[in-house]
Amino acid sequence: GESVGLHLPTLSVQEGDNSIINCAYSNSASDYFIWYKQESGKGPQFIIDIRSNMDKRQGQRVTVLLNKTVKHLSLQIAATQPGDSAVYFCAELNSNSGYALNFGKGTSLLVTP
Amino acid sequence: NAGVMQNPRHLVRRRGQEARLRCSPMKGHSHVYWYRQLPEEGLKFMVYLQKENIIDESGMPKERFSAEFPKEGPSILRIQQVVRGDSAAYFCASKQLTATWTQYFGPGTRLLVL
């Protein structure tokens, strides 16, 4: 069936470096994508979203890139900080046929000093 | 400006008991979603509700699980006759009626079935 998956389950980066978290999706009809950050024991926290009519969107220290040709999504975090350590989920939705976000399994980001 | 509220944060039940999980959406949000998260997995959609109306319950198990969002008060996810496999974190999310598709999540209820 259709699925959203992440390339790597864990990512370790040094403080100050840039982080790139990747996500592949298989539903070509998906038109809305969100990145969430989840810290231990907490709910997912919205980071940034992007619609399928865009290929790049920037926020504060974060950039989301969308490549519809290969159905790939990435989250770039600039100057990674210890507070960025968390599990990051991408989620996708087809706004024409459903209401539910389809989540991937998550990538654990560990920022080392 | 309170976010999505969920209670209890932790709930312990013995097999066969009932679990009731509550969710109050963000102020001004009229749509509520429930998701379940098993350890080291992503969130799985269960049900989508508006006030007094279930819009989509395609992710809800057919038996023992029910959800409501009354005109007044919080949304309730009810699990009857719990089994150990129901142990999970249950998250509620809300969104505005006419805003983007962005859903904002609560802190979750961690259910442990003994």
Side-chain angles (χ1 to χ4, degrees), chain A residues 6 9 16 18 28 30 32 40 49 52 76 81 85-87 96 101 111-112:
Chain A
L6 295 173
N18 297 332
S28 56
S30 295
Y32 182 66
S40 181
D49 59 1
S52 58
Q76 300 178 2
Q81 303 168 0
S85 294
V87 177
N96 293 315
L101 288 170
V111 182
T112 56

Side-chain angles (χ1 to χ4, degrees), chain B residues 18-67:
Chain B
E18 178 180 289
R20 292 173 70 88
L21 287 61
R22 289 177 291 276
C23 168
S24 296
M26 287 179 69
K27 186 177 181 180
H29 287 195
S30 57
H31 296 218
V32 165
Y33 304 76
W34 286 94
Y35 291 81
R36 177 165 60 178
Q37 185 179 33
L38 296 173
E40 298 186 0
E41 292 197 4
L43 282 72
K44 301 295 184 187
F45 168 76
M46 299 180 74
V47 62
Y48 166 43
L49 311 103
Q50 294 176 7
K51 289 277 187 182
E52 299 183 286
N53 193 17
I54 296 175
I55 305 300
D56 182 355
E57 55 182 349
S58 59
M60 195 90 106
K62 293 290 185 284
E63 297 178 349
R64 302 188 298 107
F65 285 72
S66 62

Side-chain angles (χ1 to χ4, degrees), chain B residues 72-101:
Chain B
E72 300 292 338
S75 175
I76 305 288
L77 178 67
R78 182 185 179 201
I79 311 173
Q80 295 178 288
Q81 299 175 324
V82 295
V83 300
R84 287 195 175 142
D86 297 332
S87 295
Y90 292 84
F91 291 97
C92 168
S94 72
K95 81 170 190 74
Q96 292 178 336
L97 175 63
T98 56
T100 68
W101 288 94

